[in-house]
Amino acid sequence: MDMQELIAPFARIIEDICTPSAIRAVEAGGDAAPMWQAFDDSGFLDALVSEDLGGAGVSLADAAPLIVLLGHHAVPLPVGDTLIARALLTASGARAPAGPIAIATGAGATPFADVAAHTLLGSPQAPILASGDDPVNGGQALRPIGAVLRALLISGASARVMDMTVAYANARNQFGKPIGKQQAVQQQLAILAEQAVAARIAAAIGVRSGLPPHLADAAIAKHGASVAAAQVAAIAHAVHGAIGISEEYDLHLLTRRLHEWRLADGSEGYWAGLLGERRMAAAAVSTADYIRAG
């Protein structure tokens, strides 16, 4: 399958239904059903479900650009979570329910919990579905999946924040020239771009081992993306000044999510600690060989 045939129509759907005003309406407690129905009708929610079970059967790496787009447009519904949850449920022999599904891993607040009809717990091999009213303690075994999912979303949001910040710096004049021409601002923009690319590379590492991801790949992905998320958000707001946090300006739609996804499913500190423990457990191997082994 030509992946552009998959990505282009998905992008058009998001651009049509997830306008900034529509996102704000859902976040304010408005009816999310029409937006969700559009995603459901598109058929993309079963992209990761195997073909013999009625899905498109694409790999996590192939579906990654779709999840990145969700972050890029600050989609306020758990579309990426549901993509993965449906694949895990059908693979285990269960029937995926209608409605948005949030993945809870017990590390930080569960993203999209307030708009989800169901919550996925358990493990990749034995997923458990909880209804919206059931108490949720999280499924720690799903944490690597949640980490990779959040890294992909951070990657998309970081790229959009970078584009917005560079455009603003080139349009906003001060002392007779765009602020983007000032050396101090250029240095900050260079760091922002570096971190946006770092998030993209980290997310790509997370999907290389498929679904479910290897623990080390997930740790590298979430650690790198979370580190980047904090710096991308901080620099973007420093360059934009006070306008960046105003309700009318779209930047905060993305930076709020960057902070939320940074902490969800384990922050950079959690995943750095896990990676450190694994490295110490392999003390007989050189660091270079440990990295090569992956």
Side-chain angles (χ1 to χ4, degrees), residues 153-188:
L153 293 170
I154 288 172
S155 170
S158 295
R160 176 87 178 281
V161 169
M162 180 184 68
D163 292 343
M164 292 178 68
T165 306
V166 171
Y168 178 81
N170 287 328
R172 173 81 165 87
N173 286 305
Q174 196 170 51
F175 305 118
K177 64 180 181 181
I179 63 172
K181 298 294 184 184
Q182 298 175 13
Q183 188 175 24
V185 176
Q186 288 178 334
Q187 289 175 335
Q188 291 299 300

Side-chain angles (χ1 to χ4, degrees), residues 19-211:
T19 61
S21 61
I23 293 170
R24 287 185 172 89
V26 170
E27 289 188 338
D31 185 9
M35 185 183 291
W36 181 257
Q37 192 62 50
F39 281 111
D40 201 9
D41 292 343
S42 72
F44 280 99
L45 297 179
D46 289 324
L48 287 168
V49 175
S50 66
E51 288 186 272
D52 57 339
L53 294 174
V58 303
S59 67
L60 181 59
D62 285 340
L66 305 181
I67 300 174
V68 169
L69 278 172
L70 299 170
H72 191 274
H73 291 277
V75 173
L77 299 173
V79 179
D81 295 55
T82 304
L83 274 167
I84 292 173
R86 286 194 175 196
L88 297 180
L89 286 166
T90 53
S92 70
R95 183 177 180 181
I101 306 171
I103 296 177
T105 65
T110 300
F112 308 112
D114 55 341
V115 290
H118 312 276
T119 304
L120 194 75
L121 310 171
S123 68
Q125 295 75 25
I128 300 170
L129 206 59
S131 72
D133 297 328
D134 291 341
V136 173
N137 295 319
Q140 187 169 343
L142 292 173
R143 203 167 293 176
I145 288 178
V148 172
L149 170 59
R150 255 31 102 182
L152 291 167
L153 293 170
I154 288 172
S155 170
S158 295
R160 176 87 178 281
V161 169
M162 180 184 68
D163 292 343
M164 292 178 68
T165 306
V166 171
Y168 178 81
N170 287 328
R172 173 81 165 87
N173 286 305
Q174 196 170 51
F175 305 118
K177 64 180 181 181
I179 63 172
K181 298 294 184 184
Q182 298 175 13
Q183 188 175 24
V185 176
Q186 288 178 334
Q187 289 175 335
Q188 291 299 300
L189 292 176
I191 296 172
L192 193 160
E194 176 186 273
Q195 290 303 313
V197 172
R200 187 178 69 198
I201 294 172
I205 291 172
V207 301
R208 66 183 178 182
S209 49
L211 186 66

